[in-house]
Amino acid sequence: MNDIASRATRILQDVFGYANFRADQAEIITHVADGGDALVLMPTGGGKSLCYQVPALLRDGVGVVVSPLIALMQDQVAALKEAGVRAEFLNSTLDWRQAQEVERRARAGELDLLYLAPERLLTERGLALLDELSIALFAIDEAHCVSQWGHDFRQEYLQLAVLAERYPSVPRIALTATADAATRREIIERLHLHAARSFVQSFDRPNIRYRIAGKDSPRRQLLRFIQDEHAGESGIVYALSRKSVEETAQMLVEHGVDALPYHAGFAASERETRQTRFLEEDGIVIVATIAFGMGIDKPDVRFVAHVDLPKSLEGYYQETGRAGRDGAPAQAWMVYGIADVVQQRRLIEQSEAEETHRRIANAKLDAMLGLCETARCRRQYLLEYFGEASGPCGNCDNCLDPPAQFDGTEAAQKLLSCIYRCEQASGFAFGTQHVIAVLRGERTDKVLARGHDRISTFGIGADMDEAQWRAILRQLLTMRLVTVDHANWNVLRLAPASREVLSGARRLILRREMSPRSARSTKGRRRQKGAAAPMTIAAATRITDAAGPEAIPDAPREEALFQALRDWRRGVAREHGVPAYTVLHDSSLREIARRWPQVAHALAGVPGIGAAKLARYGDAIIQVVRDQAGAG
Ligand code: ADP
Ligand code: ZN
């Protein structure tokens, strides 16, 4: 056992260039290398791949990996080859001759890992090939695809149970990032993994910073966020509609951001080109509907931004989970406002779905809104929703800059009465803008025309600005004290529960507006404490990671070397026809930029540089460092 563990560590260091296993990795690897079956649940970016790649290298024979997504398969194989591992795939992108050659090498025992699409494996020919191989293990990636209730259901996955029957002595490891217990039970049942040991890892993604702000001008807010904190970095922006995707992308491009729109309305070939560019080039921002993301394995996505409210926390967590797979700091950023609440509620109300379905959709939306409005730690809230207990994280907006709360009962009473009085005076109800204008005592044309400057609630809310009133209304909407009548120009109506507030029987603790205003002032404060100029997260990490304050003056020099290394990497990636991150991750380049190594062997110990990469790229990297020293 110990022997396996130390051999596994050596492979981790020599081949993959990493010093230590993460969390459960070592245990999973020794268990599988020892012949055991395993079910592995890890969040996206947790490091599932090594859990089968290392045992495949430890055991005799070839590790057979079943993976549903061709693009993922290809990237993984490219990355493995870069690390000197003998890996190949068999899927529909190979022509007959190429496939023959891969099969021949597999039979000859010349492969460590063979990736297969499930439909390929299940053919007569696929199974006949397996019969002839010495198999180290079966890895079933994205195992939740067996779940008929899940959104990624794949018919062929059900038939993978055949592996248990045909090859009872070959260990099997099933992996997924889908958290819930029902899916877990389904995987065990359908893949005949009753004897497997389960490894369930925390779903926390500590390197992701969660931030949610009030929406005033979403595009401007987004642009500022990207320019100030993520200039030149890769990111994904999610929007709800195709139109919004296109307009947002265009706005970003006009301001010099390398943005590409992506939604199901584009031709497949067009979508593919964009996805490939996003994967292979540095610093591209994809603006997309949720059609984008499944199977995106890019490790260095530095931010995921939502300019519209997701429908559920499941969706939000999956989408934000695409940030920071490499473990380096990343941000999940969102702006949301009244219109989002109104829109999502309307979508549910107007859907054709059955009543029970609608009830579930409403509950999911409420949980999502709860995250937006909570004054507690966002991460704690999220993990609790997924059934995990934790303390405040120190890495979300609420932890870093605790929002002020106040007894909002009186303010809520004013707003509720104003909605009521406007309707009473005119015989029909009014929308947000008008009600707030009356509250604030504004003599707009509409206010005057309706005579609402003469009702008792006119001007009783002049002490707060429009943004503050909107924030209060948003909270009353999320608490379902006020409803929006979608069939009638989105006018506001009191919900029955509002009576308790009006009577004073129920007191409301509200969160003070976390508006753009407050988001900006936070930033100002932070800036005073930290460096002089706006920093990218990357720059911020570098500074905090560095040995001490004396490292700060070196930051520009380091940044220049980092950029030079990226240029070099881009060239190599192009030459090899692979995504840049399969050559070396950003985190590796940063470490090199920090060290300024003078000789190739000084690169050993840089995370991500194993023996193969050292041999292949060592000299070239040192040359880049030298050139940079000369230039600087
Ligand atoms: P998952 O499949 O769980 O989403 P991956 O297997 O793609 O995650 O791993 C995510 C990232 O973490 C990859 O960039 C991988 O190289 C890196 N990684 C995995 N294990 C380790 C480790 N022990 N040390 C350092 N980096 C690791
Ligand atoms: Zn927190």
Side-chain angles (χ1 to χ4, degrees):
M1 199 66 177
N2 239 339
D3 179 43
I4 295 186
S6 60
R7 280 169 61 212
T9 307
R10 213 169 316 127
I11 289 177
L12 179 76
Q13 292 166 351
D14 291 352
V15 178
F16 297 95
Y18 297 130
N20 300 301
F21 284 114
R22 288 182 184 160
D24 290 344
Q25 277 176 333
E27 232 185 313
I28 298 167
I29 288 166
T30 44
H31 176 73
V32 175
D34 225 17
D37 292 342
L39 171 59
V40 172
L41 282 85
M42 256 187 214
T44 305
K48 285 185 281 300
S49 323
L50 288 183
C51 296
Y52 56 83
Q53 290 167 348
V54 176
L57 293 172
L58 283 168
R59 290 175 63 86
D60 289 337
V62 56
V64 174
V65 185
V66 184
S67 169
L69 296 158
I70 288 179
L72 271 191
M73 212 184 274
Q74 286 168 332
D75 288 355
Q76 288 239 3
V77 167
L80 286 165
K81 284 180 168 172
E82 287 286 331
V85 177
R86 302 173 305 170
E88 294 293 343
F89 56 77
L90 279 174
N91 64 36
S92 55
T93 65
L94 298 186
D95 64 29
W96 182 80
R97 204 168 289 280
Q98 290 169 317
Q100 281 260 311
E101 172 59 10
V102 171
E103 291 181 9
R104 185 198 63 74
R105 291 184 59 200
R107 283 195 200 92
E110 291 172 15
L111 295 183
D112 302 312
L113 281 154
L114 176 63
Y115 285 70
L116 275 168
E119 57 276 11
R120 184 108 182 184
L121 182 152
L122 292 160
T123 58
E124 280 297 310
R125 189 189 167 95
L127 291 169
L129 172 67
L130 292 187
D131 286 345
E132 291 177 66
L133 304 182
S134 155
I135 300 173
L137 57 85
F138 287 110
I140 301 165
D141 207 1
E142 313 286 350
H144 61 280
C145 290
V146 297
S147 166
Q148 277 163 306
W149 311 110
H151 47 294
D152 297 331
F153 175 59
R154 302 272 298 232
Q155 189 69 43
E156 317 85 56
Y157 260 66
L158 294 179
Q159 296 163 46
L160 291 175
V162 71
L163 297 177
E165 290 150 25
R166 273 178 93 116
Y167 311 100
S169 61
V170 178
R172 290 173 305 137
I173 170 171
L175 311 101
T176 179
T178 298
D180 62 295
T183 310
R184 203 181 315 169
R185 279 194 299 273
E186 237 183 317
I187 294 172
I188 291 172
E189 197 57 43
R190 301 204 183 280
L191 295 179
H192 296 188
L193 279 169
H194 304 92
R197 199 169 139 195
S198 283
F199 296 87
V200 181
Q201 198 178 303
S202 162
F203 272 70
D204 185 17
R205 300 288 310 281
N207 60 316
I208 298 183
R209 175 173 296 178
Y210 297 97
R211 288 166 57 188
I212 301 176
K215 191 188 264 191
D216 68 352
S217 153
R219 293 197 187 134
R220 217 185 45 231
Q221 289 172 287
L222 174 69
L223 179 65
R224 176 164 301 140
F225 168 67
I226 294 178
Q227 285 180 335
D228 287 1
E229 303 182 41
H230 292 286
E233 299 184 327
S234 293
I236 307 175
V237 178
Y238 283 109
L240 212 55
S241 71
R242 295 179 184 185
K243 181 160 166 275
S244 161
V245 161
E246 286 175 25
E247 289 173 0
T248 305
Q250 193 188 340
M251 179 280 296
L252 290 175
V253 169
E254 280 164 9
H255 289 86
V257 178
D258 215 344
L260 294 173
Y262 184 106
H263 58 63
F266 293 114
S269 61
E270 186 65 24
R271 290 207 303 271
E272 197 179 317
T273 322
R274 289 178 192 184
Q275 175 161 332
T276 307
R277 279 197 59 198
F278 175 68
L279 291 176
E280 297 189 357
E281 294 175 29
D282 287 326
I284 293 208
V285 174
I286 280 270
V287 185
T289 55
I290 52 169
F292 181 80
M294 170 70 173
I296 294 300
D297 225 351
K298 191 174 166 60
D300 55 358
V301 175
R302 292 273 66 89
F303 68 90
V304 169
H306 283 91
V307 291
D308 292 309
L309 187 74
K311 288 185 191 39
S312 67
L313 288 174
E314 284 88 349
Y316 171 79
Y317 208 62
Q318 188 174 47
E319 284 148 25
T320 54
R322 293 178 183 132
R325 278 172 178 255
D326 54 8
Q331 301 205 72
W333 179 96
M334 176 160 85
V335 284
Y336 104 111
I338 291 176
D340 290 298
V341 187
V342 172
Q343 183 181 31
Q344 290 290 0
R345 290 251 165 90
R346 192 188 58 225
L347 288 175
I348 295 170
E349 247 168 64
Q350 297 177 346
S351 79
E352 306 279 294
E354 294 163 32
E355 182 52 33
T356 46
H357 202 280
R358 249 187 275 177
R359 219 177 19 242
I360 294 171
N362 264 315
K364 289 196 184 262
L365 179 59
D366 284 346
M368 182 70 227
L369 291 169
L371 174 73
C372 297
E373 296 293 356
T374 187
R376 295 169 52 210
C377 169
R378 309 252 192 222
R379 188 181 316 273
Q380 211 176 3
Y381 181 100
L382 279 164
L383 290 175
E384 215 164 80
Y385 181 80
F386 293 115
E388 231 179 285
S390 70
C393 74
N395 191 27
C396 71
D397 52 0
N398 286 353
C399 280
L400 290 167
D401 194 23
Q405 286 178 293
F406 68 110
D407 184 332
T409 314
E410 197 187 326
Q413 284 168 341
K414 288 179 181 174
L415 180 57
L416 294 168
S417 331
C418 194
I419 294 172
Y420 178 76
R421 292 291 169 205
C422 287
E423 178 168 1
Q424 189 191 39
S426 298
F428 46 84
F430 291 82
T432 304
Q433 189 141 22
H434 181 76
V435 170
I436 291 178
V438 174
L439 261 179
R440 296 199 4 90
E442 288 169 13
R443 292 190 161 76
T444 65
D445 291 347
K446 190 164 169 184
V447 169
L448 296 175
R450 298 289 173 203
H452 286 178
D453 53 335
R454 296 193 301 272
I455 62 179
S456 62
T457 56
F458 181 76
I460 57 170
D463 55 330
M464 285 197 263
D465 66 17
E466 186 183 330
Q468 287 169 314
W469 280 117
R470 282 185 177 268
I472 291 169
L473 175 59
R474 201 180 58 216
Q475 294 178 71
L476 299 186
L477 283 168
T478 63
M479 289 186 258
R480 296 183 182 276
L481 295 169
V482 175
T483 60
V484 170
D485 186 346
H486 305 297
N488 285 300
W489 296 285
N490 292 339
V491 298
L492 303 175
R493 296 187 196 283
L494 300 189
S498 66
R499 253 181 253 133
E500 293 164 27
V501 179
L502 281 166
S503 72
R506 175 170 168 196
R507 302 205 71 80
L508 298 180
I509 299 300
L510 300 182
R511 178 190 166 119
R512 263 211 208 287
E513 172 57 340
M514 36 147 180
S515 74
R517 234 166 304 259
S518 65
R520 270 202 290 282
S521 62
T522 313
K523 199 142 175 290
R525 259 179 277 147
R526 263 194 219 122
R527 202 174 290 172
Q528 281 161 16
K529 273 192 270 170
M535 290 189 292
T536 59
I537 285 215
T541 340
R542 239 189 359 262
I543 290 172
T544 44
D545 283 354
E550 67 279 3
I552 292 173
D554 277 342
R557 195 167 155 259
E558 246 178 68
E559 184 64 27
L561 176 54
F562 175 66
Q563 293 304 339
L565 288 164
R566 274 175 120 188
D567 289 344
W568 164 79
R569 180 181 65 180
R570 195 173 302 132
V572 176
R574 203 168 295 146
E575 201 177 297
H576 295 193
V578 296
Y581 63 80
T582 61
V583 178
L584 279 174
H585 285 180
D586 278 2
S587 51
S588 306
L589 300 188
R590 287 217 179 275
E591 182 61 27
I592 298 169
R594 203 171 0 227
R595 293 188 187 188
W596 284 82
Q598 300 299 310
V599 286
H601 67 76
L603 289 167
V606 170
I609 301 193
K613 289 191 182 177
L614 185 60
R616 189 182 291 184
Y617 300 129
D619 292 338
I621 292 172
I622 296 303
Q623 195 55 49
V624 176
V625 177
R626 290 205 184 123
D627 291 350
Q628 193 60 29

